[in-house]
């Protein structure tokens, strides 16, 4: 059966890999909608190749140029967050590939769930920020959530045919990133360019930095908690530099079921898109005889405190994971702009979490306000490090949520 899809974040790493699968199976998938932030050149190429009915550009300043460039094409061109929501909820769409990076993916994904779409979820931040709300709505709407993140896709595959109540533990594998073997002293001096050289995966910039700080694994721990209903004490992170085993489920009889494969995101993407079928995709296959040895180590919690903070935020719950996520997004942006050092990432996240007054995650508005508060506070922390003056408002409009002033 032809599946009609919308791709949120179509110009990114997951988005383009998704379109590669569509291109390989034109009789299985049809593109109805595409959404990007600002890359109208890539979007124009995609419009001409895949003929979507509707597209959206979040950056309103770019949309008129796209309209001019695509004047000869029959496509509806929208903009802003409302545009991405319209793409995600278009009546013709069966499956939404949620692959916007960061918090910006939350609202369109949430609206797609309310519209009862199947969701292939790459945007882990949606579950980190508002996992409780999202899982509640998935249940209420009878929507389907299919994990795309390779670890969660591996767990999802390893759960097929097994009972949830038999799970003893989840083992989330982690490559360890480019700085696995660095000392703390060496970490003081690494640059964004060093961090962008991931040893096994080729991904967008934000997730690549998160992989270097192990925040990506921390976000994945929270994602796994919500997706599979497993407590934080039963989610274990293991460093596996070869990135061949994508994660494992341990059952109560001591059996471990794992999923292995080449480190190529098209494998989990295709599995989520075609579930429960498997597609004969054209990707490099894993030759286990060429892998040689595989190794497994405990993470270094002191060298990579972001992982610890994510566990803590998850255990605290409420608005704390949203705050962790927002502080991380702002800190990563500053690190990419070379305004802060690598080890400042965890310092900023720590300071923002410590200043936060946790609220219950009772609505999407609470999530949005917690995100806004944490972004502002993180900017204050960054300005302090850079010695710049603080120019933001001191109080937010959420009752009971007051922005503490930084010490000078
Ligand atoms: N890459 C991977 O291998 C991988 C693996 C597992 C999970 N993930 C998750 O998948 C998500 C995407 O990662 P990625 O590596 O593909 O990121 P990426 O390469 O940086 O791409 C991000 C995409 O999101 C779009 N975007 C950003 N803000 C937007 C907004 N406000 N509205 C609409 N579109 C917006 C970007 O558009 P522009 O190009 O116009 O900026 C781009 O298409 C992240 O949550 C990441 O954690 C990625």
């Amino acid at each position: 059966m032809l599946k009609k899809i919308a791709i949120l974040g179509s110009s990114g790493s997951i988005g383009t890999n998704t379109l590669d699968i569509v291109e390989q199976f034109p009789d299985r998938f049809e593109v109805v909608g595409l959404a990007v932030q600002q890359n109208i050149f890539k979007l124009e190429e995609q419009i001409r190749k895949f003929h979507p009915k509707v597209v959206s550009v979040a950056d309103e300043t770019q949309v008129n140029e796209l309209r001019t460039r695509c004047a000869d094409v029959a496509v509806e061109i929208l903009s802003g967050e409302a545009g991405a929501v319209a793409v995600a909820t278009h009546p013709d769409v069966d499956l939404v590939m949620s692959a916007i990076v960061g918090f910006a993916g939350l609202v369109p994904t949430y609206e797609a769930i309310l519209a009862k779409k199947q969701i292939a979820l790459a945007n882990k931040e949606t579950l980190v920020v508002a996992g409780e709300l999202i899982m509640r709505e998935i249940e209420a709407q009878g929507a389907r959530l299919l994990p795309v993140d390779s670890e969660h896709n591996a767990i999802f595959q390893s759960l097929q045919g097994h009972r949830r109540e038999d799970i003893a533990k989840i083992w989330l594998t982690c490559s360890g990133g480019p700085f696995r073997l660095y000392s703390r002293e060496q970490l003081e001096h690494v640059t964004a360019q060093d961090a962008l050289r991931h040893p096994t995966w080729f991904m967008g910039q934000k997730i690549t930095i998160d992989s270097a700080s192990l925040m990506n694994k921390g976000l994945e721990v929270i994602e796994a908690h919500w997706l599979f209903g497993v407590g934080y004490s039963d989610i274990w992170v293991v460093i596996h530099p070869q990135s061949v085993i994508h994660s494992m489920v341990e059952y109560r009889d001591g059996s471990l079921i794992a999923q292995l494969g080449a480190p190529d995101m098209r494998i989990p993407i295709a599995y989520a898109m075609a579930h429960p079928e498997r597609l004969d995709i054209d990707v490099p296959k894993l030759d286990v005889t060429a892998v040689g040895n595989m190794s497994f180590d405990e993470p270094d919690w002191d060298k990579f405190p972001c992982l610890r903070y994510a566990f803590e935020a998850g255990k605290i719950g409420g608005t704390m994971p949203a705050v962790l996520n927002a502080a991380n997004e702002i800190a990563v942006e500053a690190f990419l702009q070379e305004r802060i050092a690598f080890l400042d990432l965890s310092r900023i996240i720590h300071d923002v979490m410590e200043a936060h007054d946790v609220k219950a995650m009772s609505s999407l508005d609470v999530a949005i306000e917690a995100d806004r508060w944490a972004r502002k506070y993180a900017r204050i922390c960054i300005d302090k490090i850079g010695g710049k003056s603080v120019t933001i408002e001191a109080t937010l409009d959420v009752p009971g949520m007051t922005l503490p002033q930084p010490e000078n």
Side-chain angles (χ1 to χ4, degrees), residues 33-49:
L34 300 171
V36 305
Q37 159 74 7
Q38 45 76 32
N39 191 344
I40 56 167
F41 304 107
K42 177 68 96 185
L43 182 56
E44 183 189 351
E45 252 175 54
Q46 295 176 344
I47 290 169
R48 293 190 184 281
K49 192 161 180 181

Side-chain angles (χ1 to χ4, degrees), residues 102-164:
F103 177 83
L106 173 65
V107 171
T109 307
Y110 186 76
E111 293 294 335
I113 294 167
L114 296 187
K116 302 185 194 312
K117 306 296 185 191
Q118 262 190 48
I119 313 287
L121 188 75
N123 176 254
K124 65 193 82 185
E125 294 90 345
T126 284
L127 282 179
V128 172
V129 172
E132 199 176 332
L133 293 177
I134 294 289
M135 297 316 288
R136 201 189 303 148
E137 281 307 332
I138 289 277
E139 175 104 23
Q141 304 297 336
R144 191 87 208 264
L145 197 57
L146 298 148
V148 170
D149 226 338
S150 59
E151 294 79 358
H152 305 75
N153 192 274
I155 294 161
F156 183 65
Q157 295 197 38
S158 303
L159 283 169
Q160 303 300 311
H162 298 276
R163 302 184 319 160
R164 294 288 160 113

Side-chain angles (χ1 to χ4, degrees), residues 268-336:
I269 288 171
Y271 187 75
M273 287 169 73
H275 182 77
E277 285 176 58
R278 289 184 187 269
L279 301 175
D280 181 15
I281 47 176
D282 180 17
V283 289
K285 302 291 185 313
L286 178 70
D287 173 2
V288 283
T289 62
V291 173
N293 295 324
M294 287 197 277
S295 59
F296 303 94
D297 281 309
E298 271 192 50
D300 186 329
W301 301 88
D302 293 329
K303 243 173 32 179
F304 299 103
C306 287
L307 181 58
R308 189 149 36 90
Y309 298 153
F311 263 101
E312 280 171 18
K315 284 182 193 162
I316 292 167
T319 47
M320 193 58 102
V323 163
L324 167 101
N325 178 70
N328 181 56
E329 286 191 25
I330 295 300
V332 167
E333 190 181 278
F335 177 61
L336 283 167

Side-chain angles (χ1 to χ4, degrees), residues 45-366:
E45 252 175 54
Q46 295 176 344
I47 290 169
R48 293 190 184 281
K49 192 161 180 181
F50 295 99
H51 314 293
K53 288 185 175 160
V54 56
V55 300
S56 173
V57 183
D59 182 346
E60 316 256 357
T61 65
Q62 304 285 325
V63 73
N64 281 340
E65 186 175 348
L66 183 68
R67 287 196 178 115
T68 308
R69 296 176 73 91
C70 292
D72 60 325
V73 187
V75 59
E76 186 182 3
I77 299 178
L78 305 171
S79 64
E81 186 179 78
V85 169
V87 168
T89 58
H90 190 285
D92 291 356
V93 168
D94 303 312
L95 176 119
V96 175
M97 173 58 70
S98 167
I100 290 176
V101 62
F103 177 83
L106 173 65
V107 171
T109 307
Y110 186 76
E111 293 294 335
I113 294 167
L114 296 187
K116 302 185 194 312
K117 306 296 185 191
Q118 262 190 48
I119 313 287
L121 188 75
N123 176 254
K124 65 193 82 185
E125 294 90 345
T126 284
L127 282 179
V128 172
V129 172
E132 199 176 332
L133 293 177
I134 294 289
M135 297 316 288
R136 201 189 303 148
E137 281 307 332
I138 289 277
E139 175 104 23
Q141 304 297 336
R144 191 87 208 264
L145 197 57
L146 298 148
V148 170
D149 226 338
S150 59
E151 294 79 358
H152 305 75
N153 192 274
I155 294 161
F156 183 65
Q157 295 197 38
S158 303
L159 283 169
Q160 303 300 311
H162 298 276
R163 302 184 319 160
R164 294 288 160 113
E165 56 268 39
D166 289 336
I167 301 175
K169 198 185 277 177
I170 279 177
W171 291 87
L172 272 184
T173 54
C174 173
S175 73
F179 306 141
R180 181 172 58 93
L181 301 174
Y182 281 42
S183 67
R184 197 163 165 90
E185 290 66 41
Q186 285 173 300
L187 288 180
E188 291 281 0
H189 306 293
V190 295
T191 65
Q193 285 315 310
D194 299 330
L196 287 171
R197 274 182 226 114
H198 194 278
T200 42
W201 295 96
F202 183 70
M203 310 174 285
Q205 286 199 334
K206 191 250 175 192
I207 185 177
T208 307
I209 302 299
D210 286 349
S211 298
S213 67
L214 297 206
M215 177 54 92
N216 183 49
K217 207 50 53 183
L219 301 179
E220 287 177 7
V221 167
I222 301 173
E223 184 185 11
H225 167 77
W226 289 114
L227 275 173
F228 306 114
V230 174
Y232 287 101
S233 54
D234 295 327
I235 302 174
W236 288 39
V237 172
V238 61
I239 304 297
H240 167 50
Q242 297 78 18
S243 299
V244 167
I245 295 182
H246 297 307
S247 277
M248 304 176 261
V249 179
E250 182 178 325
Y251 290 95
R252 57 182 169 183
D253 63 355
S255 299
L256 273 86
I257 311 275
Q259 184 258 350
L260 287 74
D264 189 315
M265 282 308 294
R266 289 173 298 179
I267 298 172
I269 288 171
Y271 187 75
M273 287 169 73
H275 182 77
E277 285 176 58
R278 289 184 187 269
L279 301 175
D280 181 15
I281 47 176
D282 180 17
V283 289
K285 302 291 185 313
L286 178 70
D287 173 2
V288 283
T289 62
V291 173
N293 295 324
M294 287 197 277
S295 59
F296 303 94
D297 281 309
E298 271 192 50
D300 186 329
W301 301 88
D302 293 329
K303 243 173 32 179
F304 299 103
C306 287
L307 181 58
R308 189 149 36 90
Y309 298 153
F311 263 101
E312 280 171 18
K315 284 182 193 162
I316 292 167
T319 47
M320 193 58 102
V323 163
L324 167 101
N325 178 70
N328 181 56
E329 286 191 25
I330 295 300
V332 167
E333 190 181 278
F335 177 61
L336 283 167
Q337 293 164 352
E338 300 180 354
R339 295 176 59 213
I340 59 167
F342 183 73
L343 292 180
D344 291 331
L345 291 167
S346 56
R347 293 183 187 122
I348 288 160
I349 292 158
H350 170 272
D351 289 356
V352 178
M353 281 176 67
E354 194 134 282
H356 182 57
D357 183 10
V358 182
K359 300 279 177 297
M361 182 51 72
S362 50
S363 69
L364 197 63
D365 285 345
V366 169

